[in-house]
Amino acid sequence: MQNNKDMQQWAALAKSRMPAGRGMFLQHISLWRELGANDFLQRKMPLALTVPPPQFHCDIKSLDTHLVSVCNGFATGRAGQNLLFPEQKAALGDKPCVCRLSDLSEGERNQLQAFFAHSETAAKQSGKVRRTADFAEVRCEPDTEDFARLNRSFTPETLVVYLPAGCRLDKPLQIVNLCIGDEALFLQPHCLMLLEKGASLSLVHCTDSHPKADILANALTEIRLEPGASLEYIQMQNVGDRCKIFHQIQAEVLSGARLSLHRITLNGGITQNNTEVNLLQEGARAEVFGLYLQDREQKTDNRVKINHIAPQTYSRELFKGVMDDSAEAYFKGHVFVSPQAQQTEAYQSCRNLLVSPKAQAYAKPYLEIYADDVQCNHGVTVGQLDEDALFYMRCRGISADSARRLLMRAYADEILKEIGVEELRLWLTSLVKKRFSGQLQACQECILACPGGEC
């Protein structure tokens, strides 16, 4: 582990690289506002582990995937190998590859990074949004690009997911990121995903931790879908209450490509999911779904920004949360439609279910439209369980607790049914059922140590 002196030097260097007027610990940056400089400077940055810890396993027994293991942000496996097919060497060519960025040749690294150069068109439009949007004038919202810039500048390792033109894997790819450590740690996982023309991928990205781990993670995933490519990206998080996970996903979607993004938050002390999607060419499509189940004093924050840059693009957002005890949920959705993006369709919805009088939910949908031939709408609801439905079920002999659980399960099923990986969808449905019935409470302290996830 790196010592505190190294961490302080790292923080000073990071501060010096930030643009004028933007520091790491300014009050409008929610990540640091929740933690503060003292908490951050006491953390250590981990070193790479080449072998997963003994308790590492995937709980979804029926899920048949290509498994890539990541521990504290570092991919496990030999240097220079294709982690998808270990007998092959890491390379960008005519075969799919998952590897470390450092495993590629200098020419391949330059080729890959050129794909992810920030789009000038998107940057121009984003600048216009920041100048015109009323909430941005007073800088009351954090600029997530600050966190992305920190990650790109200081990440110790970058994971690359590459599919050549027309490629489709025989089964889903699963990346399991395990966060462990006896000390307070700061992680910066970074991932680049490139799907070339006509490629198709189902990706299951899991983040898990030991229940007592104290982890702060500033993660960044950058995605580029070339024309006609298709990506179903299922990002799940089930970490301990002491973990604080901040995960940025930035995607560029080109002509006829389709992104289906699912952000499932099952547990975690503080969670902030930032999503930015740029629909850059005609016919690009994006669907972003979110499900968060929070209790005790957990906090979750989902921020989604979708930029419609080209005509005939489509986006849909649907986020649903169930809040219990003193949990808090925040949602901010921003849809931007440029003057060139005629015949755009954009739909945005956030619904929150409060099952405790102390639970809180805040939502801010926002549409910024500069085209006149569009179909766009948004909606937000915050409410409690339907008393009429509860009464109807009680009259038919169903107990009050069972009726509440059935209604909450039905509420979550609208998100889960959108998942295309059947084994994962069934497992998540079962897990949500157990969560609502309280069956997971007894396993919270031992789930990583139990063989096969069973006690």
Side-chain angles (χ1 to χ4, degrees):
M1 301 288 181
Q2 295 184 3
N3 59 32
N4 286 1
K5 183 178 180 181
D6 292 337
M7 196 65 174
Q8 292 171 356
Q9 293 174 344
W10 183 93
L13 180 60
K15 183 176 181 181
S16 68
R17 292 192 182 183
M18 298 294 286
R22 293 185 187 174
M24 291 178 61
F25 307 107
L26 295 182
Q27 286 301 308
H28 66 265
I29 303 296
S30 63
L31 189 155
W32 310 118
R33 185 177 60 207
E34 294 284 359
L35 304 171
N38 291 334
D39 177 278
F40 175 74
L41 293 176
Q42 290 173 2
R43 295 181 177 273
K44 298 182 179 181
M45 301 181 71
L47 300 176
L49 296 177
T50 56
V51 180
Q55 69 268 32
F56 180 86
H57 68 273
C58 177
D59 291 332
I60 315 174
K61 298 179 182 178
S62 60
L63 185 61
D64 184 19
T65 62
H66 295 285
L67 180 63
V68 174
S69 303
V70 179
C71 187
N72 287 345
F74 293 92
T76 60
R78 296 194 314 271
Q81 73 174 174
N82 183 346
L83 302 176
L84 189 60
F85 303 108
E87 69 280 1
Q88 299 178 3
K89 183 180 178 180
L92 303 184
D94 57 354
K95 295 182 179 180
C97 180
V98 179
C99 65
R100 306 169 183 88
L101 184 63
S102 58
D103 291 336
L104 300 174
S105 67
E106 183 178 358
E108 289 175 324
R109 290 198 298 270
N110 294 336
Q111 174 190 350
L112 184 67
Q113 291 174 335
F115 276 105
F116 292 92
H118 193 55
S119 166
E120 292 183 6
T121 304
K124 256 181 220 180
Q125 300 294 353
S126 297
K128 184 175 182 181
V129 172
R130 281 194 289 272
R131 287 194 302 271
T132 58
D134 57 347
F135 60 82
E137 292 295 332
V138 294
R139 292 284 295 163
C140 62
E141 301 287 350
D143 185 353
T144 58
E145 183 59 29
D146 291 344
F147 306 137
R149 187 180 295 108
L150 284 173
N151 184 287
R152 294 190 193 102
S153 300
F154 302 105
T155 183
E157 181 175 284
T158 296
L159 184 70
V160 175
V161 177
Y162 168 76
L163 262 67
C167 177
R168 175 188 288 268
L169 292 182
D170 57 338
K171 52 187 177 182
L173 169 65
Q174 183 179 15
I175 300 175
V176 180
N177 186 17
L178 184 64
C179 303
I180 60 172
D182 298 328
E183 302 175 278
L185 299 180
F186 177 59
L187 314 180
Q188 291 221 98
H190 185 210
C191 182
L192 298 177
M193 297 185 194
L194 173 61
L195 274 63
E196 291 193 336
K197 185 176 181 179
S200 179
L201 175 66
S202 291
L203 173 64
V204 181
H205 193 173
C206 311
T207 301
D208 208 337
S209 77
H210 190 279
K212 296 183 179 179
D214 184 1
I215 302 294
L216 166 62
N218 177 34
L220 173 63
T221 300
E222 299 183 76
I223 302 169
R224 183 175 175 89
L225 303 183
E226 293 290 288
S230 175
L231 172 63
E232 181 183 27
Y233 181 12
I234 306 162
Q235 187 244 328
M236 300 187 300
Q237 178 181 297
N238 191 18
V239 297
D241 285 350
R242 299 181 66 190
C243 292
K244 306 160 187 71
I245 308 295
F246 301 84
H247 191 178
Q248 285 74 241
I249 294 179
Q250 297 184 353
E252 293 189 346
V253 186
L254 275 61
S255 175
R258 180 179 183 271
L259 171 66
S260 180
L261 175 60
H262 309 259
R263 310 203 72 164
I264 311 295
T265 303
L266 300 174
N267 201 53
I270 297 176
T271 302
Q272 182 168 310
N273 294 320
N274 300 319
T275 305
E276 181 169 358
V277 180
N278 292 312
L279 304 176
L280 297 178
Q281 294 181 357
E282 184 174 327
R285 298 173 62 90
E287 294 181 301
V288 184
F289 303 99
L291 176 65
Y292 40 97
L293 312 178
Q294 304 288 279
D295 55 18
R296 299 185 291 280
E297 295 183 352
Q298 298 173 352
K299 297 180 180 180
T300 183
D301 187 350
N302 286 284
R303 300 168 184 266
V304 184
K305 181 180 177 184
I306 299 183
N307 296 317
H308 292 260
I309 308 301
Q312 298 182 17
T313 51
Y314 173 90
S315 70
R316 177 189 175 202
E317 302 170 42
L318 177 59
F319 280 74
K320 301 186 79 171
V322 179
M323 318 302 297
D324 203 352
D325 300 328
S326 298
E328 297 179 15
Y330 302 85
F331 172 82
K332 176 194 166 188
H334 187 173
V335 173
F336 173 81
V337 181
S338 73
Q340 297 78 27
Q342 301 293 343
Q343 298 181 335
T344 283
E345 291 186 55
Y347 307 100
Q348 184 183 91
S349 179
C350 177
R351 306 171 195 167
N352 293 285
L353 183 62
L354 307 182
V355 296
S356 163
K358 294 184 179 180
Q360 300 180 63
Y362 307 89
K364 184 175 184 178
Y366 189 87
L367 301 179
E368 188 166 2
I369 303 170
Y370 295 96
D372 52 13
D373 183 10
V374 300
Q375 297 183 39
C376 301
N377 62 47
H378 61 71
V380 169
T381 60
V382 179
Q384 299 175 335
L385 291 171
D386 190 333
E387 294 295 336
D388 292 337
L390 287 172
F391 178 77
Y392 179 87
M393 298 170 76
R394 292 292 306 279
C395 290
R396 279 147 184 80
I398 301 175
S399 68
D401 288 342
S402 296
R404 291 174 73 252
R405 289 196 297 268
L406 287 171
L407 288 177
M408 288 190 290
R409 284 174 52 194
Y411 186 80
D413 279 346
E414 186 178 1
I415 298 295
L416 298 179
K417 72 179 182 181
E418 299 288 347
I419 295 176
V421 181
E422 182 178 4
E423 296 85 356
L424 179 61
R425 183 177 67 251
L426 295 175
W427 180 82
L428 277 171
T429 301
S430 174
L431 188 66
V432 169
K433 175 183 176 181
K434 291 180 180 179
R435 174 73 180 269
F436 287 151
S437 61
Q439 296 179 31
L440 296 183
Q441 297 298 324
C443 290
Q444 285 185 351
E445 299 299 322
C446 67
I447 190 168
L448 288 177
C450 299
E454 296 180 354
C455 294

